[in-house]
Amino acid sequence: MAADSALTNGADSQRLRWKYLDRILSRPGPFTDPDWEPGEAVIEGLSRAKILVIGAGGLGCEILKNLALSGFKDIHVIDMDTIDVSNLNRQFLFRHADVGKYKADVAARFVEKRVKGVKITPYCGKIQDKDEDYYMQFAMVVCGLDSIEARRWINATLVGLFNEEDPDSLKPLIDGGTEGFKGQARVVFPTMTSCIECQLDMHAPRAAVPLCTLATIPRQPQHCIEWAHIIAWEEERKDITLDTDDPEHITWLFQKALKRAQEFNISGVTYSMTQGVVKNIIPAIASTNAIVAASCCNEAFKLATNSNPFLGIPETDNYMMYTGDESIYTYTFQHIKKPDCPVCGNLAKNLEVDSKSTLQEFIDSLAERPEAQLKKPTIRTEAKSLYYQSPPALEEQTRPNLSKKLSELVSDGEEVAIQDPAFQIAFKFKLVFKK
Amino acid sequence: MLKIWSMKQKQQQDESAATGPKKKKVTAAQLRVQKDLSELSLGSTMKTDFPNPDDILNFTLTIEPDEGMYKGGRFNFNFAINQNFPHDPPKVKCTQKIYHPNIDLEGNVCLNILREDWKPVLNLNAVIVGLQFLFLEPNASDPLNKEAAEDLKSNREGFKRNVRSAMGGGAVKGQSYERVLK
Ligand SMILES: [Zn+2]
């Protein structure tokens, strides 16, 4: 049997650790694809697969541990945060002595020490520091983030990475998220299935209390803290940028909130509640993190090995939601890709242009393009507003660009986004200069 | 994975995806604001100003109500949109110190869709319509300026007079306001 050869191949007792895993990868099961060939190649493939984990917090600790215990051997992890004492209750890769150190570093060393043969490469910084070449090296990306902004960024990056001529440029994105007793795991095949941006409305907006309630009739301790945060700070310390990691700032807000709570006979304002409200800390439940991370890692394992059908296969379910706050409920469904998604709806196409032609000439040529006759285009690059049809003030300000040469406005290969009132979605072109 | 790739090839359309030098891409927030701006209906009572035309995420909206108690005034609002738009609402503040029950002296605005009722499907036009409405129908039940709200509730005529004098740069109950007349 193939499993035996895998065992003897390594020829060491280390392989015994993976005995049951190897068994799954060495013979077909009832759900495996008939074309799948189990055996050593699959086992090899898993240990060679380079996988990126974004986030080394509550979810990240679970994900790193699970991936390492599932046979992944080349794991990279990015996190910009350092360890806070309040993380220790659930971020189990960290100890008291680690407080103040980078999460990615400490998590990587811990898992490497516990699971022999695993290599974990940490990067302590922002995902935005890295370019397309960096993301290109991975087989897939697993996210355990608490920021929607960061998710949107990596999603747009992976969609932008995709190139039809290169199978390796398709990077599956596995995303886990939790909020208290609720969570979700989802898989995105960039450009093929519904992406994070398509699913933006699945994120519940942060529950906010009307401003006038905060200003006039606070009823809860949190209202007093929000008042201090939004109104009192602006009134009294306008010139100081609020830093939610600065204890002096939190203390100031706490004192303000406490005083206001006393005025309205509200009890319960504490320093840690102030910190929680101001930093928008959502109570993390360790078990929810464990459930969601486990689901993400199972999908990663199945994706890397093809051993069983996984979430996100086009035209099938791609989203698993979990709710544990009222008994327990899970629901798995297919979130449909949005044709007008600003990220995956229209991919940038190359467009050859004469760098000496003017913006006006370029705009005129757009009206004649066969696939979309853009008659009233508004057009920009990431850095510049090239021409806006409206509002009138912006039209006037950008009008002088019409007589400029393209070479003065964009660089060779730069992306422009074009919005036209006749279309719901923006068109994106990379302007390639004619040689 | 390879199976997925063959599906992709079946799915493949006739378009060819772009390759070439790596450059910064227009962000999702920029794309959405660009779309919203193209759908803005300002009419004759509103105009925008972009201090830096390349930065469409930060601009000023001027409202000049042509009816109601605030007719004849010119009100400026600062719009600050972050990269998490439209998940996050735009941050909108009145840049003048005005007498209005739903706007405090710091310029904070109590408008439900700017906070508790914001949804990504709402657009900038909905926000400016909401702001415009605040000047037509100031609302005493959502007070940010408590005095102004009390005035509006108890004595509508007196409130109107206060609005006029505040708009002219006068003081109301010891609080001086900025002159906002055209
Ligand atoms: Zn999408």
Side-chain angles (χ1 to χ4, degrees):
Chain A
M1 208 162 76
D4 297 326
S5 64
L7 277 173
T8 47
N9 193 14
D12 56 352
S13 59
Q14 282 296 327
R15 199 63 217 170
L16 272 174
R17 176 170 202 153
W18 311 104
K19 185 176 164 190
Y20 296 102
L21 196 74
D22 286 346
R23 199 162 288 165
I24 287 175
L25 300 178
S26 304
R27 57 191 185 197
F31 301 108
T32 48
D33 192 282
D35 295 341
W36 185 61
E37 281 178 38
E40 229 170 298
V42 180
I43 296 170
E44 265 290 303
L46 176 61
S47 58
R48 273 205 315 267
K50 201 185 264 196
I51 185 165
L52 175 66
V53 177
I54 301 180
L59 274 170
C61 281
E62 291 278 356
I63 291 169
L64 288 169
K65 175 256 292 174
N66 288 346
L67 291 178
L69 294 176
S70 307
F72 284 91
K73 300 233 177 298
D74 189 359
I75 305 170
H76 290 236
V77 58
I78 302 189
D79 197 304
M80 61 186 286
D81 282 344
T82 53
I83 298 160
D84 187 82
V85 71
S86 65
N87 302 144
L88 300 178
N89 67 340
R90 63 191 184 285
Q91 298 179 21
F92 53 85
L93 302 177
F94 313 139
R95 297 292 173 267
H96 206 277
D98 300 322
V99 170
K101 294 181 191 161
Y102 280 107
K103 288 184 177 178
D105 265 340
V106 176
R109 294 296 85 80
F110 191 108
V111 176
E112 273 186 344
K113 216 167 99 192
R114 280 297 294 270
V115 188
K116 289 279 172 282
V118 169
K119 189 173 112 222
I120 304 191
T121 313
Y123 173 71
C124 307
K126 297 206 300 216
I127 51 174
Q128 291 87 349
D129 297 346
K130 299 292 191 183
D131 62 7
E132 292 194 339
D133 288 338
Y134 174 82
Y135 291 106
M136 196 65 193
Q137 65 179 308
F138 300 107
M140 65 187 87
V141 177
V142 188
C143 286
L145 287 160
D146 56 5
S147 147
I148 291 165
E149 199 178 336
R151 280 196 185 93
R152 290 175 73 190
W153 189 89
I154 188 67
N155 176 61
T157 300
L158 296 184
V159 171
L161 209 59
F162 173 70
N163 166 7
E164 300 227 320
E165 273 129 49
D166 180 8
D168 284 342
S169 69
L170 186 73
K171 309 291 179 191
L173 172 64
I174 303 171
D175 177 71
T178 67
E179 233 185 86
F181 282 112
K182 294 195 179 95
Q184 85 275 337
R186 49 187 167 171
V187 177
V188 177
F189 284 96
T191 75
M192 296 184 74
T193 64
S194 158
C195 78
I196 304 291
E197 196 76 20
C198 293
Q199 299 173 13
L200 204 55
D201 53 5
M202 298 298 291
H203 293 273
R206 145 176 202 195
V209 181
L211 213 51
C212 47
T213 304
L214 301 181
T216 52
I217 37 157
R219 292 183 305 269
Q220 294 170 14
Q222 289 86 351
H223 296 172
C224 301
I225 296 167
E226 278 277 292
W227 172 85
H229 178 201
I230 296 169
I231 296 174
W233 185 277
E234 278 289 296
E235 273 176 27
E236 298 176 42
R237 304 185 93 181
K238 193 181 276 181
D239 301 325
I240 307 166
T241 309
L242 181 69
D243 176 2
T244 55
D245 289 322
D246 185 335
E248 194 276 328
H249 291 187
I250 298 291
T251 305
W252 190 91
L253 293 174
F254 166 54
Q255 298 292 354
K256 277 279 159 192
L258 198 60
K259 220 172 130 213
R260 186 167 175 82
Q262 280 158 0
E263 280 167 33
F264 287 90
N265 275 321
I266 296 167
S267 60
V269 173
T270 60
Y271 182 88
S272 70
M273 183 192 274
T274 308
Q275 210 174 16
V277 170
V278 172
K279 297 179 83 166
N280 192 25
I281 298 173
I282 295 139
I285 309 281
S287 318
T288 313
N289 281 344
I291 289 164
V292 167
S295 165
C296 289
C297 294
N298 275 347
E299 296 317 305
F301 176 79
K302 291 186 286 177
L303 261 162
T305 60
N306 259 317
S307 54
N308 273 63
F310 41 80
L311 206 60
I313 296 172
E315 309 307 321
T316 68
D317 294 347
N318 53 14
Y319 194 118
M320 188 277 290
M321 60 161 282
Y322 163 82
T323 310
D325 50 3
E326 202 194 331
S327 187
I328 181 170
Y329 178 71
T330 68
Y331 181 57
T332 308
F333 61 97
Q334 183 191 0
H335 191 284
I336 307 286
K337 189 174 185 298
K338 289 205 170 127
D340 60 349
C341 169
V343 170
C344 73
N346 256 350
L347 301 184
K349 293 177 200 164
N350 281 338
L351 186 59
E352 212 173 60
V353 293
D354 181 355
S355 63
K356 289 191 286 296
S357 60
T358 63
L359 181 61
Q360 179 71 62
E361 286 166 338
F362 174 65
I363 286 177
D364 293 344
S365 76
L366 290 172
E368 288 149 21
R369 286 191 64 78
E371 80 270 33
Q373 290 155 22
L374 304 165
K375 300 243 161 63
K376 283 194 76 187
T378 276
I379 171 167
R380 78 165 299 115
T381 63
E382 193 269 337
K384 282 200 196 88
S385 298
L386 299 183
Y387 184 64
Y388 275 72
Q389 302 274 354
S390 71
L394 206 50
E395 194 279 331
E396 203 175 305
Q397 281 171 298
T398 54
R399 202 184 303 150
N401 287 340
L402 289 175
S403 56
K404 288 186 186 159
K405 290 196 178 77
L406 288 180
S407 57
E408 297 171 65
L409 298 167
V410 298
S411 55
D412 193 7
E414 193 166 2
E415 185 185 289
V416 296
I418 300 172
Q419 185 76 46
D420 189 279
F423 296 90
Q424 274 296 307
I425 181 173
F427 290 83
K428 289 178 261 183
F429 294 105
K430 279 187 184 168
L431 301 188
V432 180
F433 292 168
K434 270 183 202 146
K435 293 289 175 314
Chain B
M1 281 297 301
L2 285 172
K3 188 104 182 165
I4 290 291
W5 181 249
S6 61
M7 290 181 73
K8 177 74 207 178
Q9 280 167 329
K10 269 186 222 129
Q11 219 186 48
Q12 206 165 56
Q13 304 104 358
D14 53 344
E15 61 194 56
S16 67
T19 51
K22 293 171 184 87
K23 294 271 158 52
K24 281 206 162 178
K25 297 184 180 72
V26 181
T27 67
Q30 284 178 323
L31 285 170
R32 177 55 196 271
V33 172
Q34 173 155 313
K35 181 165 190 279
D36 282 12
L37 287 176
S38 72
E39 291 166 353
L40 224 50
S41 52
L42 295 169
S44 57
T45 58
M46 288 184 283
K47 59 177 197 285
T48 54
D49 177 54
F50 293 79
N52 171 7
D54 289 332
D55 177 8
I56 53 168
L57 302 187
N58 290 285
F59 60 91
T60 313
L61 174 78
T62 304
I63 303 181
E64 298 179 353
D66 59 358
E67 53 183 315
M69 290 181 265
Y70 289 88
K71 185 179 171 180
R74 173 183 287 149
F75 304 96
N76 298 326
F77 291 88
N78 197 43
F79 277 65
I81 300 168
N82 66 23
Q83 287 294 346
N84 216 11
F85 183 79
H87 184 261
D88 289 353
K91 280 208 166 65
V92 177
K93 276 196 135 183
C94 182
T95 61
Q96 303 143 312
K97 187 171 166 187
I98 66 168
Y99 174 82
H100 191 293
N102 312 114
I103 299 174
D104 72 12
L105 302 179
E106 302 300 313
N108 294 305
V109 183
C110 191
L111 179 63
N112 62 337
I113 56 169
L114 283 178
R115 217 176 130 74
E116 67 275 14
D117 291 332
W118 172 259
K119 291 177 194 70
V121 294
L122 292 170
N123 61 11
L124 293 177
N125 211 51
V127 173
I128 67 165
V129 167
L131 290 175
Q132 204 177 19
F133 190 70
L134 283 184
F135 289 102
L136 296 179
E137 292 289 337
N139 171 3
S141 56
D142 293 337
L144 266 191
N145 180 334
K146 248 193 282 184
E147 281 75 30
E150 282 304 316
D151 294 343
L152 174 60
K153 221 181 285 177
S154 59
N155 177 2
R156 203 174 162 89
E157 284 311 307
F159 175 77
K160 277 188 193 170
R161 280 195 300 277
N162 290 347
V163 169
R164 296 320 296 180
S165 71
M167 277 170 45
V172 176
K173 298 192 173 148
Q175 186 63 252
S176 62
Y177 290 92
E178 214 170 308
R179 188 185 151 87
V180 294
L181 291 174
K182 281 202 267 189

